[in-house]
Amino acid sequence: MTSPTRDSAPTPGPDSGPPPGPDSAPAAGSYSAPAPAPAAGPAAGSAAGPAAGPTPPPGCPAHSGRAPAGERLESLHGPEFAADPAATYTRLREHGHIAPVELSPGVPVSLVTSYQTALDILRSPETFSKDARHWEALADGTIPLDNPVVPMMMYRPNALCSDGEAHHRLRAAISDTLDRLDIHALRRYVERSADFLIDLFGPKGEADLLKEYSARLPLLVFNQLFGCPPELSDKLVRSLSALFDITEDSEQANVLLAETLFELVALKRATPGPDMTSWLIAHPSELTDEELVHQIVVLVGAGTQPQQNLICNGLLLLLSDERFAGALAGGTMLIEDALNEVLWKDPPLANFCIHYPRHDATVDGHRLPKGEPVVISLAAANNDPYLLSNRRGNRAHLAWSAGPHTCPAKDPAQVIAAVAIEKLLDRLPDLELAVPAKELEWRPGPFHRALAALPVHFPRTAAKSDEALAEMVAAATATGAGAVGSTPPVAGETSSHGGPAGTGPSADDTDTPATASTAAASESGSEHEARRRWWKSLAQWWRRG
């Protein structure tokens, strides 16, 4: 790994970087080759490497990767960091490409703030392992298991925490499962879900879009994609929120998360359906129950908090930036531009992609001791001052990692966020922030970039809950469809109605009232009433908040 001078600043090309997806959050997908390096900047002939200033001279504290004796580490867990992370990253760059920080009290790590250095580490699995069993301070008890960041950093037998063949096997199961999703059907289901949620707060003329929309829509999608009943999804969301927020309850939340997912796996083994949990169970990799639970942790972790933050951060940009003022009805391209800017400037996971050096290593003049965590600051790397500023249409951000752990869930992640924002602005075109953007608060936590609330007001709009509820019931009851519509057939597999898998009704079949009536008529009155009560209970849960 080399370090060029300031003149060799890399310029990410439009499609050179990794797509967004969940493997940099607690999530993963298919195994893919590392993304190509970004195109060179003006001095293309210079040596490739991190775009930053000169390497610190020998003897400089930056060489050790640690703060000088007696110097207090920069904290990533307090309200000051949450309020102004950019100021923290600016100070950290005085150390060079890598700086010592504290994730939580008593947990020092090395934080990578350079775009190119981040790429170098993300693409070097032979030197940097994802397996937290290499974390020596945790293994020898220096850091206790009840430290609040441990649940987010500890080893789990999933694709995110694995290397080599183990990683390939687990990632393949997730990838093949994601490949069965019907993106068009997913879009239609997200639209229905968004309509239903908007109906709940639309007549009030005001809402907290974090609590009443962005946090609940991913839950709805999760319920459908994973075949999860509301009594389990409630516990899952509570436990995941505690893990990302790094509260005193993190250890208990970790236990609750595992218990709830084991319940879900047992339920789907007994009654499989057209959902991602059942597909993971049926995958040729023959995952154990423990492996199944931990793959779902990865997927659900990416599909809840980070997805919620992406939606909220995108809405905040659209509602507060004068470049978008008066153009909120500008269409999908406007929304895609806003989301891309968020992924560059305020990615939903600001600091993650934790690695452990397999041996003592020196990177750009910084010594990284064996087994000490190295955390990639996706936010700082994306905003590396030596990157060129024109990023419109540029997808080379590191918002969701790079290298062998790049997640392939770009399409479903972006569909959910884009449709959520598009539908909200379509239904509520006069939406405005209820307070100035500078007065909004950000939730403390070393890993995420997350608003504490997003209050808005708008002209009251009439609800159409009966219509939305009918569509939701139709989507949920259509045989073989679920939220994902028809799915690609799997060799030798048959569906519940006797035909090849994936040949059941598509999402188009659930778009009309006639189909809803047909679906309802195909089941007994008691079954239909049970399903109606299921959706009613979920609506009551939402209203309770």
Side-chain angles (χ1 to χ4, degrees), residues 222-223 228-237 260 263-264 267:
F222 171 82
N223 284 342
C228 184
E231 64 271 15
L232 294 184
S233 61
D234 181 8
K235 293 191 288 186
L236 285 177
V237 169
T260 306
E263 286 185 59
L264 177 61
L267 173 67

Side-chain angles (χ1 to χ4, degrees), residues 177-254:
T177 295
L178 289 170
D179 286 346
R180 297 182 70 169
L181 291 177
D182 183 330
I183 292 296
H184 300 293
L186 174 62
R187 179 184 177 88
R188 285 187 285 272
Y189 185 76
V190 175
E191 288 175 342
R192 295 187 190 100
S193 303
D195 270 330
F196 191 47
L197 291 172
I198 294 167
D199 282 345
L200 296 179
F201 59 77
K204 297 187 301 182
E206 62 181 13
D208 175 359
L209 291 181
L210 172 65
K211 179 180 179 182
E212 299 179 67
Y213 191 68
S214 299
R216 293 174 176 176
L217 191 142
L219 167 64
L220 248 184
V221 175
F222 171 82
N223 284 342
Q224 189 73 3
L225 294 183
F226 288 84
C228 184
E231 64 271 15
L232 294 184
S233 61
D234 181 8
K235 293 191 288 186
L236 285 177
V237 169
R238 285 192 285 113
S239 59
L240 284 165
S241 295
L243 293 183
F244 276 98
D245 289 346
I246 311 303
T247 68
E248 294 300 322
D249 297 328
S250 290
E251 187 177 13
Q252 295 91 325
N254 195 42

Side-chain angles (χ1 to χ4, degrees), residues 320-353:
S320 63
D321 194 307
E322 62 182 12
R323 291 172 299 161
F324 300 100
L328 293 185
T332 301
M333 185 56 68
L334 178 74
I335 293 170
E336 290 180 352
D337 286 346
L339 287 175
N340 189 55
E341 184 162 328
V342 165
L343 290 167
W344 273 107
K345 293 186 175 180
D346 266 324
L349 274 182
N351 305 293
F352 205 64
C353 302

Side-chain angles (χ1 to χ4, degrees), residues 3 53-64 94-98 363-366:
S3 177
T55 299
C60 175
H63 265 294
S64 68
E94 295 176 3
H95 290 266
H97 303 163
I98 302 173
V363 178
D364 296 336
H366 297 262

